[in-house]
C-alpha cells in the first residue's frame, strides 16, 4: 500500500518526528515499500485464528504491595537535560 | 422547546495502595517533587512493570460491591500519547478486557426517589505526573511523584438526567469507595476526579445529541455547577441555530464556566495495543471468593439493618449511612448511650449541623463518639436535661474534658433534691400571687408559666417533672 | 591464550596457568590493537576491568572456583551498566550513563566475570548489518570490507577477533544468530522468557531475548548457567526450573530426529551456503541422527508479520526518548512540540525513524485489525507450524542466513535488508530457542547452521550443537585477522 504525503506527515506528527521537505519523499517511498512487504500477510485467511500476543500462555505475576524504593532524586536528575528545584523542566506547556 | 439532559460520568479514583501500580515507589500525597519517582516511574530505558496485587484486589473489591462482572482474564494495553507528565509516552490502561465489567449503582435523591445507573466498566490504569506552570523562567516543571499511582476509572452509562442526579450518583459512588476503603477519594486532593460527558436532546427523542466532555471538576459542588453551565450553554447554542461540537472542555471554577481546550483539539489517535511487558491477569474463583468474604457491610445493607435493629426511619437511616465514618460514629454512640433513637437525633441533628457549619469531616469533630454517647447517657439517667445537654455539647467544642467533668465543673447537674426544688417552688408561689390565684380558679395554662419561672430560677437545672408536680401539690 | 574457549580459559585460570589480571590485560591489548579497525566496542572499561580481574583473582585465592570467575567478556551496549555509558548505539543516548545494572549484567558480575566494555550494535538493535549504529559500522574480522551482521555485530566481531572471551547479545529477529553466522562463532537465543529483560533496552518487548555469543556450544552452556532464570522484575520472565546446561552436553545423538524445513532450502538460498549446510546435515547422520523433511508452511509470512509486531512495539517503546528526563535534547527548543520533534528527529537515525513510522501507522486508527491483529494471528499460525513439526522431530536445522557476510553498503534498500532474516524471524515470533553454529567456510567467509529447539529445550539444543563441535572443527577456525597478527 502506498502512502500519501499527508498521511506520512500525520504519522510523523503522532510519533513526534520532524521530517524535512527533503526527507519526506524518501520516507514516503521507503515506508510504502515496507507496507507492501507487510501486505503479504493479507494473502492468508485468519478469520478463525486466535491472535498470539505472547509466545507462551503464561499469566501475570502479582507483586506484594510494598514500598521497596527510596528517594534517589538527586542522582537521577543528573541525567536530565534541565532541572530545577527537584523538577524536570520543559518548554512551557500551554493548556 | 423542552430539553432532556443526558450525562455519563467517568470517575477516576486513586487506589490507596502503599506502592505504585507497577513499581515499588511510595504513593504518599504531598511529598517533595520527584522523591517518589524511581527508575521505572521515570521510564528509564530497560525498566519493566510488575503489577501490584493489592491494586487488583481493590478493583475486584469494587466490582463485587456494584455486582459487576469480574474480568476473569483482563489485559493491560498501552495508550500512546506524548505529554511531559507521561514519562513512557504511553499510559498503561485497559481497553477491551477491563478487570471490572458491567455493574450498577442505586442511589436515593433528596426527594426520596431511587435511581439505578448502569456502570459500563471499571478499569485499572496508571496516573500521570503533574505539570507546574508557574515561575520557571517561562518553562514548565514536571513532578513525577504521582506518575504510576494506581487509578480505577469507573465509567457510567449515559443514564443520568440532571446535574443533581450526577451529584447524587457521585456521592453514592464516593460513599461505597470509602466503605470499601480502596481510596481516600478526596476530590480536593485529586484522589477522586470526575469527567462528565454531557449532551442534550429534545424531550422524547431517543437518539443522543452530540456530547462534550468536561474535565477538571474537583468538588461535588462544581460537578453540579459545571454540568448546569454546560447544559445551558448547549441549549443556547442549539436554540441560536448552532451545532454542538464534540470536544473536551475545561471547567473553570473561578469564572464558573466551561471552555474549549483547543490545544487538545488535534485529533488524538491513541494507538492502543496490548502491553507486551505484561501478561494477562487471570482471576480465579478462589481469588474472588476470598475478596467477597472480606467485603464490609455496604451502605444499603447497613441502612436496612439500622431501620430494623434501631427502629429508625428511612430518612434518618439514609443520612446515617451516607458515609462509613458517620455510620461508625453513630453505632459507637448507640453502644455507649444505649439509646438509638436519641443517638440518631443527636447525630443527624446537632452533630451534622456542627459538621456542616465548619465543613468538617466526622473524624474532625471535636465531639467524639465516646463523649456524645456519654452525654446522651446522662440525659437518660436524668443527670441533665436535654436542654442542658446542648450547653454541655457547646462546651465540648472548647474543652477536651469528659462529659461528667464538664457537667460538674459548670455546675450543670440537674437538681433533683426535693428540698431544693421545694424552696424554689415556694419562691415562685410567693412572687407570683396573681398567677397562683388564676390557677386556683381553674386556669390550667398558667402552670406552664410558673414551671418556667422555677426553671429560670434554677438556671435550667431543676427537674421539670418534679417542679410541675410540686407546684400542683402546693397550689391545691 | 586469548583465542581459547571460555571452558579452556576457565581451566587455565583454575590451574593457575594464568591470572585473570594477565588475561584481562591481554584482551585489553588486543582491543587496543584492533578496535580502531573493527569498531566492535563503543566503550572500553580498562580500569574497572582490571579492578574486577584483581577481585576475581583474590576470590579465586579465597577458594571461589565458579566457571566464569575472572573470564573477560563484553556486553552489548543495549544492557544497562551502572555508572557506565549505555548508548544502544544511538545519538539519543550518547550521554546516558545508566544508574543501574541489567539483570544479565548483575548475574555475570555475581559469577565473577570481568567486563571489558560495551559493544557496538545496530541502533536500538534495528538492523541486520550493524550499519545503523550512531558510532559507525562494525567490520567483519574475516573481511573488513564486509559487515559482521546485526544487530549484535559488535559482540560477534569482538568474539570472532578475540577482543573478548565471550559476549552478550540480544535477538529480536535474528540479532544473535545472524551475526554469529557471519562472524563464524556460536550464537544462542534462548526461549522467550528464559532470561530477564530487566535493564535490556527494549526494541520489541514480546520478541526480545538476551543470549550468549561465544566460541562453542559448551561456552554457551556455561553462559546460560549464569544468565538464565526467573527474575521477579520482569513480568515476562518464566518461572521454570533452570537445568545445568552443561550436564547433558555429552549425550549421544543416536536416534535424534532432525527436521529439515523445505521452506529453508528454497529460492533465495545461495548454492554454496546450501552445500555447506547439507554437508553438516550428513555429519549429523554420522552421529546417529535421522533427517526428516518437514514443512513450515507459513514461514514466508514471518517477515511481514514481524515487520508489524516489532515496529509497533518499538514505536511505543521508543516514545520515552523525549528529551525530558535523560538523553539527548535539541538546542534551544522554541516550544514543547519543537523539543519533542527535534530531539527525536536529531537523536534517532533513519532506520529507527522508519520503523517508528511503520509501527505508528500499523497501530493507527482504522488499521489495527488489518495490521497488528492480523500479524498476531499469523504469529499463531507460525507457532502452530512449529508445534506440528515438533510432533515429528526433536530439533530443526537449516541455514541461519541465505548467504555469507555481504559488503558494507551492499543493502541500502530496507526491504532487502529485512529479508536477510527470513530463516530466523519465525523463531522469535514463536518464542522458541534457536542458535547458529559455524558449519563451513565459503570463499573465505564463515557459514552458520541454524538449529531450533522446542520451548525451554535449550539443553537439548546445546547438546546437539556440542556433539557437532566435538566431531568437527569449524568453530575453531579463526578470522584471518588472527593469523595476520601472528
Amino acid at each position: 500500500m502506498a502512502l500519501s504525503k499527508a498521511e506520512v506527515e500525520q504519522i510523523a506528527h503522532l510519533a513526534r518526528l520532524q521530517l524535512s521537505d527533503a526527507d519526506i519523499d524518501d520516507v514516503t517511498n521507503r515506508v510504502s515499500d515496507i507496507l507492501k512487504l507487510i501486505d503479504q500477510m493479507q494473502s492468508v485467511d485468519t478469520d478463525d485464528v486466535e491472535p498470539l500476543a505472547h509466545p507462551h500462555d503464561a499469566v501475570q505475576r502479582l507483586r506484594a504491595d510494598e514500598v521497596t524504593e527510596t528517594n534517589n532524586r538527586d542522582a537521577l536528575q543528573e541525567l536530565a537535560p534541565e532541572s530545577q528545584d527537584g523538577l524536570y523542566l520543559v518548554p512551557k506547556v500551554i493548556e | 422547546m423542552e430539553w432532556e439532559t443526558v450525562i455519563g460520568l467517568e470517575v477516576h479514583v486513586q487506589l490507596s495502595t502503599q506502592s505504585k501500580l507497577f513499581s515499588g515507589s511510595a504513593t504518599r500525597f504531598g511529598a517533595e517533587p520527584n522523591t517518589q519517582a524511581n527508575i521505572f516511574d521515570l521510564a528509564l530505558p530497560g525498566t519493566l512493570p510488575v503489577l501490584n496485587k493489592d491494586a487488583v484486589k481493590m478493583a475486584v473489591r469494587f466490582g463485587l460491591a456494584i455486582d459487576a462482572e469480574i474480568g476473569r482474564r483482563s489485559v493491560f494495553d498501552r495508550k500512546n500519547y506524548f505529554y511531559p507528565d507521561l514519562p513512557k509516552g504511553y499510559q498503561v490502561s485497559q481497553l477491551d478486557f477491563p478487570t471490572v465489567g458491567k455493574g450498577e449503582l442505586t442511589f436515593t435523591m433528596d426527594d426520596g426517589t431511587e435511581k439505578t445507573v448502569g456502570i459500563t466498566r471499571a478499569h485499572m490504569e496508571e496516573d500521570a505526573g503533574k505539570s507546574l506552570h508557574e515561575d520557571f523562567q517561562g518553562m514548565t516543571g514536571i513532578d513525577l511523584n504521582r506518575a504510576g499511582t494506581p487509578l480505577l476509572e469507573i465509567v457510567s452509562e449515559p443514564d443520568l438526567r440532571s446535574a443533581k442526579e450526577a451529584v447524587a450518583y457521585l456521592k453514592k459512588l464516593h460513599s461505597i469507595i470509602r466503605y470499601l476503603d480502596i481510596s481516600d477519594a478526596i476530590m480536593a486532593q485529586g484522589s477522586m476526579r470526575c469527567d462528565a460527558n454531557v449532551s442534550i436532546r429534545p424531550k422524547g427523542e431517543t437518539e443522543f445529541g452530540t456530547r462534550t466532555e468536561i474535565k477538571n471538576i474537583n468538588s461535588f459542588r462544581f460537578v453540579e455547577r459545571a454540568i448546569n453551565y454546560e447544559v445551558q450553554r448547549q441549549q443556547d447554542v442549539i436554540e441560536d441555530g448552532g451545532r454542538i461540537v464534540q470536544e473536551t472542555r475545561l471547567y473553570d471554577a473561578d469564572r464558573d464556566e466551561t471552555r474549549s481546550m483547543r490545544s487538545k483539539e488535534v485529533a488524538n489517535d491513541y494507538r492502543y495495543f496490548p502491553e507486551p511487558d505484561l501478561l494477562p491477569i487471570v482471576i480465579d474463583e478462589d481469588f474472588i471468593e476470598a475478596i467477597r468474604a472480606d467485603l464490609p457491610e455496604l451502605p444499603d445493607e447497613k441502612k436496612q439493618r439500622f431501620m430494623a435493629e434501631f427502629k429508625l426511619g428511612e430518612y434518618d437511616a439514609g443520612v446515617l449511612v451516607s458515609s462509613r465514618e458517620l455510620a461508625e460514629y453513630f453505632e459507637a454512640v448507640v453502644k455507649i448511650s444505649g439509646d438509638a433513637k436519641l443517638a440518631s437525633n443527636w447525630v443527624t441533628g446537632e452533630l451534622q449541623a456542627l459538621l456542616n457549619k465548619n465543613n468538617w469531616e466526622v473524624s474532625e469533630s471535636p465531639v467524639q463518639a465516646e463523649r456524645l454517647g456519654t452525654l446522651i447517657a446522662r440525659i437518660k439517667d436524668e443527670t441533665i436535661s436535654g436542654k442542658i445537654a446542648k450547653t454541655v455539647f457547646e462546651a465540648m467544642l472548647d474543652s477536651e474534658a469528659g462529659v461528667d467533668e464538664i457537667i460538674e465543673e459548670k455546675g450543670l447537674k440537674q437538681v433533683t433534691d426535693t428540698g431544693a426544688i421545694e424552696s424554689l417552688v415556694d419562691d415562685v408561689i410567693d412572687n407570683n400571687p396573681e398567677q397562683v390565684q388564676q390557677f386556683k380558679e381553674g386556669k390550667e395554662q398558667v402552670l406552664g408559666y410558673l414551671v418556667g419561672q422555677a426553671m429560670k430560677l434554677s438556671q435550667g437545672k431543676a427537674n421539670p417533672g418534679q417542679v410541675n408536680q410540686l407546684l400542683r401539690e402546693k397550689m391545691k | 591464550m586469548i583465542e581459547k574457549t571460555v571452558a579452556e580459559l576457565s581451566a587455565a585460570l583454575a590451574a593457575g596457568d594464568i591470572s585473570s589480571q594477565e588475561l584481562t590485560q591481554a584482551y585489553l591489548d588486543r582491543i587496543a590493537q584492533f578496535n580502531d579497525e573493527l569498531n566492535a566496542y563503543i566503550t572500553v572499561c580498562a580500569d574497572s576491568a582490571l579492578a574486577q580481574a584483581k577481585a576475581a583473582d583474590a576470590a579465586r585465592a579465597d577458594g571461589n572456583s565458579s566457571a566464569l570467575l575472572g573470564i573477560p567478556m563484553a556486553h552489548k551496549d543495549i544492557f544497562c551498566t551502572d555508572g557506565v555509558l549505555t548508548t544502544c548505539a544511538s545519538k539519543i543516548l550518547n550521554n546516558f550513563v545508566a544508574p543501574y545494572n541489567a539483570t544479565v549484567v548483575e548475574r555475570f558480575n555475581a559469577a565473577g566475570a570481568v567486563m571489558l566494555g560495551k559493544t557496538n550494535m545496530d541502533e536500538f538493535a534495528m538492523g541486520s548489518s550493524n550499519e545503523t549504529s550512531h558510532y559507525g559500522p562494525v567490520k567483519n574480522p574475516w573481511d573488513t570490507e564486509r559487515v559482521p551482521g546485526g544487530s549484535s555485530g559488535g559482540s560477534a566481531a569482538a568474539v570472532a577477533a578475540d577482543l573478548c572471551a565471550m559476549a552478550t547479545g540480544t535477538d529480536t529477529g535474528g540479532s544473535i544468530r545472524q551475526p554469529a553466522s557471519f562472524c563464524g562463532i556460536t550464537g544462542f537465543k534462548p526461549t522467550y522468557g528464559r532470561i530477564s529483560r530487566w535493564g535490556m533496552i527494549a526494541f520489541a518487548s514480546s520478541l526480545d531475548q538476551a543470549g550468549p555469543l561465544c566460541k562453542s556450544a559448551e561456552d554457551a552452556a556455561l553462559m546460560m548457567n549464569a544468565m538464565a532464570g526467573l527474575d521477579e522484575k520482569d513480568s515476562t520472565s518464566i518461572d521454570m526450573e533452570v537445568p545445568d546446561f552443561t550436564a547433558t552436553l555429552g549425550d549421544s545423538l543416536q536416534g535424534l530426529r532432525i527436521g529439515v524445513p523445505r521452506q529453508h532450502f528454497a529460492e533465495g538460498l545461495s548454492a554454496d551456503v546450501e552445500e555447506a549446510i547439507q554437508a553438516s546435515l550428513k555429519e549429523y547422520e554420522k552421529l546417529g541422527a535421522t533427517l526428516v523433511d518437514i514443512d513450515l508452511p507459513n514461514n514466508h509470512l514471518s517477515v511481514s508479520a514481524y515487520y508489524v509486531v516489532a515496529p509497533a512495539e518499538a514505536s511505543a517503546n521508543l516514545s520515552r526518548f523525549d528529551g525530558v528526563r535523560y538523553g539527548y535534547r535539541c538546542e534551544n527548543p522554541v516550544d514543547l512540540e519543537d523539543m519533542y520533534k527535534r530531539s527525536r528527529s536529531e537523536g534517532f537515525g533513519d532506520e529507527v525513524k522508519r520503523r517508528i513510522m511503520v509501527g505508528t501507522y500499523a497501530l493507527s486508527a482504522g488499521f489495527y485489525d488489518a495490521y497488528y491483529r492480523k500479524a498476531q494471528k499469523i504469529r499463531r499460525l507460525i507457532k502452530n507450524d512449529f508445534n506440528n513439526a515438533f510432533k515429528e522431530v526433536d530439533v530443526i536445522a537449516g541455514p541461519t542466513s541465505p548467504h555469507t557476510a555481504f559488503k558494507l553498503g551492499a543493502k541500502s534498500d530496507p526491504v532487502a535488508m529485512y529479508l536477510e532474516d527470513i530463516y530466523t524471524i519465525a523463531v522469535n515470533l514463536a518464542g522458541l530457542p534457536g542458535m547458529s553454529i559455524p558449519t563451513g567456510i565459503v570463499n573465505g567467509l564463515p557459514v552458520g547452521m541454524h538449529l531450533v529447539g522446542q520451548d525451554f529445550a535449550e539443553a537439548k539444543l546445546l547438546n546437539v550443537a556440542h556433539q557437532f563441535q566435538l566431531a568437527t572443527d569449524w568453530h575453531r577456525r579463526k578470522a584471518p585477522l588472527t593469523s595476520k597478527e601472528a
Side-chain angles (χ1 to χ4, degrees):
Chain A
M1 148 154 203
L3 288 178
S4 71
K5 197 174 155 185
E7 281 175 308
V8 169
E9 279 170 344
Q10 170 62 10
I11 301 162
H13 172 70
L14 280 175
R16 296 299 184 276
L17 293 173
Q18 184 169 276
L19 300 177
S20 68
D21 286 340
D23 292 344
I24 200 150
D25 286 337
D26 184 55
V27 170
T28 304
N29 291 336
R30 298 240 184 239
V31 171
S32 295
D33 284 351
I34 297 167
L35 292 176
K36 242 179 269 167
L37 168 77
I38 290 170
D39 275 333
Q40 288 176 11
M41 291 193 308
Q42 311 304 341
S43 66
V44 61
D45 176 11
T46 53
D47 284 355
D48 299 325
V49 181
E50 194 56 29
L52 180 75
H54 274 101
H56 313 302
D57 279 327
V59 301
Q60 181 61 37
R61 270 190 297 277
L62 301 175
R63 165 179 68 84
D65 178 27
E66 284 162 7
V67 175
T68 54
E69 300 293 313
T70 49
N71 174 23
N72 192 24
R73 180 180 77 185
D74 294 346
L76 292 172
Q77 287 197 336
E78 278 178 27
L79 299 168
E82 206 171 352
S83 66
Q84 186 188 318
D85 303 341
L87 296 158
Y88 293 94
L89 293 192
V90 298
K92 199 162 187 71
V93 178
I94 301 131
E95 286 281 353
Chain B
M1 187 183 302
E2 236 192 306
W3 296 96
E4 181 178 55
T5 304
V6 176
I7 304 160
L9 295 186
E10 289 171 17
V11 178
H12 289 84
V13 290
Q14 282 182 343
L15 297 175
S16 52
T17 52
Q18 298 300 304
S19 64
K20 292 188 179 177
L21 186 56
F22 298 120
S23 86
S25 296
T27 54
R28 201 163 50 83
F29 180 79
E32 283 294 303
N34 290 307
T35 55
Q36 293 178 173
N38 80 340
I39 54 175
F40 173 80
D41 308 317
L42 297 175
L44 257 63
T47 58
L48 295 167
V50 186
L51 181 57
N52 186 328
K53 184 174 190 172
D54 282 9
V56 180
K57 280 187 177 172
M58 288 178 187
V60 171
R61 207 166 147 84
F62 175 76
L64 294 176
I66 59 158
D67 271 329
E69 297 162 14
I70 303 300
R72 295 310 177 91
R73 189 173 180 283
S74 46
V75 175
F76 280 106
D77 298 280
R78 290 184 182 178
K79 177 181 180 180
N80 296 284
Y81 65 95
F82 284 87
Y83 206 70
D85 64 14
L86 186 74
K88 294 191 292 294
Y90 54 84
Q91 180 193 30
V92 178
S93 183
Q94 298 180 316
L95 181 67
D96 290 330
F97 303 98
T99 298
V100 178
K102 268 191 190 311
E104 61 179 38
L105 190 77
T106 301
F107 55 91
T108 311
M109 303 287 296
D110 282 346
D111 65 4
T113 54
E114 278 206 343
K115 168 130 187 157
T116 298
V117 163
I119 289 179
T120 317
R121 57 187 284 150
H123 62 259
M124 285 188 277
E125 63 185 26
E126 305 170 287
D127 207 345
K130 282 182 179 164
S131 303
L132 295 116
H133 301 295
E134 58 280 333
D135 222 29
F136 294 101
Q137 300 90 44
M139 313 248 331
T140 292
I142 307 294
D143 174 10
L144 297 170
N145 280 348
R146 201 179 67 176
T149 298
L151 292 178
L152 189 66
E153 179 175 342
I154 303 157
V155 182
S156 86
E157 292 286 311
D159 290 348
L160 297 158
R161 290 291 172 270
S162 69
K164 278 202 162 26
E165 281 188 11
V167 173
Y169 163 83
L170 198 59
K171 284 190 168 164
K172 182 63 178 284
L173 195 60
H174 179 267
S175 157
I176 287 180
I177 287 160
R178 292 296 310 131
Y179 267 81
L180 294 170
D181 202 18
I182 58 173
S183 172
D184 298 336
I186 302 169
M187 288 189 87
Q189 286 185 4
S191 54
M192 179 166 176
R193 308 196 280 272
C194 177
D195 300 338
N197 287 303
V198 178
S199 64
I200 60 170
R201 62 184 173 189
K203 229 182 170 84
E205 172 65 56
T206 52
E207 296 282 304
F208 291 122
T210 304
R211 65 187 159 86
T212 58
E213 182 179 9
I214 316 173
K215 285 197 179 289
N216 194 36
I217 321 178
N218 56 17
S219 81
F220 291 112
R221 204 154 45 99
F222 294 156
V223 170
E224 186 165 349
R225 285 199 195 171
I227 293 173
N228 281 334
Y229 173 88
E230 180 60 16
V231 167
Q232 191 56 53
R233 186 192 70 85
Q234 292 190 9
Q235 277 186 27
D236 292 348
V237 168
I238 295 173
E239 284 171 0
D240 287 350
R243 280 180 55 230
I244 302 301
V245 183
Q246 183 163 348
E247 62 179 355
T248 302
R249 299 179 68 85
L250 200 69
Y251 178 66
D252 181 337
D254 295 334
R255 300 161 72 170
D256 188 23
E257 63 177 30
T258 67
R259 61 167 183 271
S260 181
M261 292 172 76
R262 296 204 189 280
S263 61
K264 294 212 168 171
E265 276 306 285
V266 193
N268 265 327
D269 181 346
Y270 292 123
R271 289 159 284 136
Y272 280 97
F273 74 104
E275 158 63 301
D277 286 331
L278 293 163
L279 300 167
I281 309 153
V282 173
I283 295 174
D284 63 19
E285 201 63 37
D286 289 350
F287 189 87
I288 293 175
E289 288 316 312
I291 292 169
R292 197 191 302 279
D294 193 38
L295 281 182
E297 186 181 35
L298 291 168
D300 292 352
E301 300 164 67
K302 205 182 273 287
K303 181 172 151 187
Q304 294 305 320
R305 179 168 65 80
F306 280 9
M307 288 165 67
E309 188 177 332
F310 302 131
K311 310 279 178 286
L312 300 181
E314 183 166 2
Y315 179 81
D316 285 347
V319 172
L320 290 171
V321 304
S322 63
S323 89
R324 179 178 182 159
E325 290 75 13
L326 190 66
E328 282 170 358
Y329 183 102
F330 165 72
E331 287 208 84
V333 172
V334 174
K335 202 168 171 196
I336 296 159
S337 68
D339 189 320
K341 185 68 204 157
L342 271 179
S344 167
N345 290 346
W346 275 85
V347 172
T348 59
E350 296 293 321
L351 181 79
Q352 276 289 25
L354 175 72
L355 300 182
N356 290 345
K357 185 177 149 199
N358 295 286
N359 210 3
W360 281 333
E361 297 295 323
V362 183
S363 58
E364 296 171 288
S365 168
V367 181
Q368 304 83 352
E370 186 272 329
R371 292 207 292 175
L372 183 57
T374 308
L375 182 66
I376 293 169
R378 292 298 163 266
I379 301 171
K380 282 199 67 184
D381 68 11
E382 301 196 332
T383 305
I384 50 171
S385 66
K387 191 162 174 210
I388 288 293
K390 289 187 183 164
T391 312
V392 179
F393 187 88
E394 292 292 325
M396 282 192 271
L397 304 185
D398 306 314
S399 165
E400 293 287 317
V403 172
D404 292 328
E405 215 179 310
I406 292 172
I407 293 172
E408 194 64 42
E409 192 182 293
K410 303 220 169 202
L412 295 172
K413 205 169 199 160
Q414 185 156 264
V415 179
T416 51
D417 170 49
T418 321
I421 292 176
E422 198 168 347
S423 94
L424 274 175
V425 167
D426 289 343
D427 283 354
V428 169
I429 291 173
D430 290 349
N431 295 337
N432 298 283
E434 200 177 316
Q435 283 81 2
V436 172
Q437 190 55 41
Q438 287 173 348
F439 180 79
K440 285 181 175 170
E441 284 162 6
K443 216 171 172 189
E444 270 284 323
Q445 58 269 46
V446 181
L447 185 65
Y449 170 77
L450 294 168
V451 171
Q453 290 301 303
M455 292 305 291
K456 203 170 179 181
L457 267 181
S458 77
Q459 291 168 303
K461 289 181 286 182
N463 182 314
Q466 277 178 303
V467 170
N468 192 305
Q469 199 188 341
L470 265 175
L471 272 172
R472 279 182 186 280
E473 278 171 24
K474 295 208 172 222
M475 293 190 294
K476 258 183 197 162
Chain C
M1 192 63 93
I2 54 171
E3 74 289 353
K4 291 192 181 305
T5 66
V6 171
E8 290 160 352
L9 291 174
S10 188
L13 286 164
D17 296 345
I18 192 168
S19 71
S20 175
Q21 290 173 85
E22 289 163 339
L23 193 56
T24 300
Q25 190 57 58
Y27 280 110
L28 289 170
D29 292 347
R30 178 87 173 168
I31 292 167
Q33 190 181 357
F34 285 109
N35 194 50
D36 282 351
E37 188 175 358
L38 296 176
N39 200 24
Y41 282 88
I42 291 174
T43 303
V44 177
C45 312
D47 293 346
S48 62
L50 288 168
Q52 279 183 312
K54 192 173 176 188
D57 287 335
R60 191 173 296 281
D62 284 349
N64 183 331
S65 61
S66 83
L68 301 181
L69 182 65
I71 303 287
M73 71 176 303
H75 285 298
K76 186 177 181 179
D77 208 19
I78 200 169
F79 292 100
C80 286
T81 40
D82 195 357
V84 176
L85 187 68
T86 299
T87 69
C88 232
S90 180
K91 182 179 174 186
I92 214 157
L93 285 177
N94 71 356
N95 59 0
F96 180 66
V97 176
Y100 76 109
N101 274 330
T103 296
V104 163
V105 172
E106 282 289 319
R107 291 193 175 195
F108 277 110
N109 285 349
V114 172
M115 184 179 84
L116 295 165
K118 307 289 294 291
T119 56
N120 204 344
M121 54 184 282
D122 278 298
E123 184 183 4
F124 284 103
M126 296 178 187
S128 306
S129 68
N130 219 118
E131 293 169 293
T132 71
S133 169
H134 172 63
Y135 300 91
V138 176
K139 311 289 172 53
N140 191 320
W142 292 79
D143 175 352
T144 52
E145 287 181 4
R146 290 176 186 271
V147 304
S151 66
S152 311
S155 287
V159 170
D162 300 324
L163 306 192
C164 61
M166 59 181 183
T168 53
T170 61
D171 191 315
T172 306
S175 281
I176 287 174
R177 293 160 288 159
Q178 186 251 19
S181 167
F182 280 13
C183 291
I185 62 166
T186 299
F188 190 80
K189 181 203 99 74
T191 314
Y192 180 82
R194 185 62 111 170
I195 293 175
S196 170
R197 294 187 297 114
W198 174 262
M200 190 176 112
I201 299 176
F203 160 16
S205 308
S206 77
L207 302 165
D208 295 343
Q209 185 60 202
L213 288 121
C214 48
K215 295 172 185 173
S216 70
E218 184 182 19
D219 286 3
L222 289 168
M223 289 178 77
M224 281 296 290
N225 280 352
M227 296 171 88
L230 172 68
D231 179 6
E232 298 285 356
K233 287 189 283 207
D234 173 4
S235 295
T236 62
S237 152
I238 295 285
D239 186 4
M240 183 172 279
E241 208 186 323
V242 179
D244 174 356
F245 293 100
T246 61
T248 47
L249 289 174
D251 290 359
S252 158
L253 300 189
Q254 203 62 49
L256 181 82
R257 297 165 304 166
I258 299 178
V260 183
R262 289 189 184 89
Q263 288 78 4
H264 287 193
F265 291 86
E267 191 194 329
L269 178 60
S270 76
D272 37 15
V273 169
E274 175 164 8
E275 203 176 310
I277 300 295
Q278 294 293 4
S280 300
L281 290 173
K282 291 221 160 51
E283 190 64 41
Y284 268 115
E285 286 186 307
K286 281 192 223 159
L287 293 170
T290 318
L291 303 182
V292 182
D293 283 339
I294 58 161
D295 272 313
L296 297 172
N298 294 292
N299 187 75
H300 67 290
L301 297 172
S302 60
V303 177
S304 350
Y306 176 88
Y307 278 96
V308 173
V309 175
E313 293 181 5
S315 72
N317 281 334
L318 270 56
S319 292
R320 65 189 59 201
F321 303 104
D322 59 4
V324 177
R325 299 161 310 285
Y326 51 81
Y328 177 79
R329 178 187 286 191
C330 68
E331 293 287 327
N332 305 316
V334 298
D335 59 21
L336 185 69
E337 288 293 290
D338 185 47
M339 182 198 73
Y340 279 147
K341 290 185 175 175
R342 279 203 292 126
S343 299
R344 289 166 60 78
S345 292
E346 293 166 17
F348 291 137
D350 287 345
E351 180 60 18
V352 171
K353 281 187 268 194
R354 265 197 292 279
R355 297 207 196 183
I356 292 174
M357 293 285 290
V358 169
T360 302
Y361 179 75
L363 292 172
S364 62
F367 296 109
Y368 180 84
D369 283 352
Y371 288 114
Y372 194 76
R373 203 175 152 78
K374 181 86 181 181
Q376 288 202 330
K377 288 177 162 199
I378 298 222
R379 215 174 158 178
R380 171 82 60 190
L381 295 178
I382 285 167
K383 177 108 189 168
N384 290 348
D385 282 357
F386 280 112
N387 288 344
N388 290 334
F390 282 121
K391 286 176 191 159
E392 294 170 45
V393 301
D394 304 305
V395 295
I396 293 170
T400 303
S401 171
H403 41 72
T404 53
F406 49 86
K407 293 217 163 163
L408 284 154
K411 297 199 186 286
S412 57
D413 169 27
V415 171
M417 187 71 90
Y418 298 172
L419 292 168
E420 281 300 293
D421 296 327
I422 180 80
Y423 305 135
T424 51
I425 269 179
V427 168
N428 298 79
L429 290 169
L432 300 167
M435 69 188 298
S436 180
I437 53 172
T439 181
I441 290 175
V442 166
N443 300 327
L445 294 170
V447 174
M449 177 159 65
H450 191 212
L451 296 168
V452 181
Q454 302 192 43
D455 275 340
F456 304 105
E458 289 97 343
K460 178 89 239 166
L461 206 50
L462 290 164
N463 161 233
V464 169
H466 180 66
Q467 289 303 309
F468 181 83
Q469 291 182 338
L470 286 179
T472 61
D473 71 345
W474 296 115
H475 65 295
R476 294 278 180 190
R477 306 291 178 93
K478 300 305 288 186
L481 205 58
T482 315
S483 32
K484 197 162 40 180
E485 183 220 15

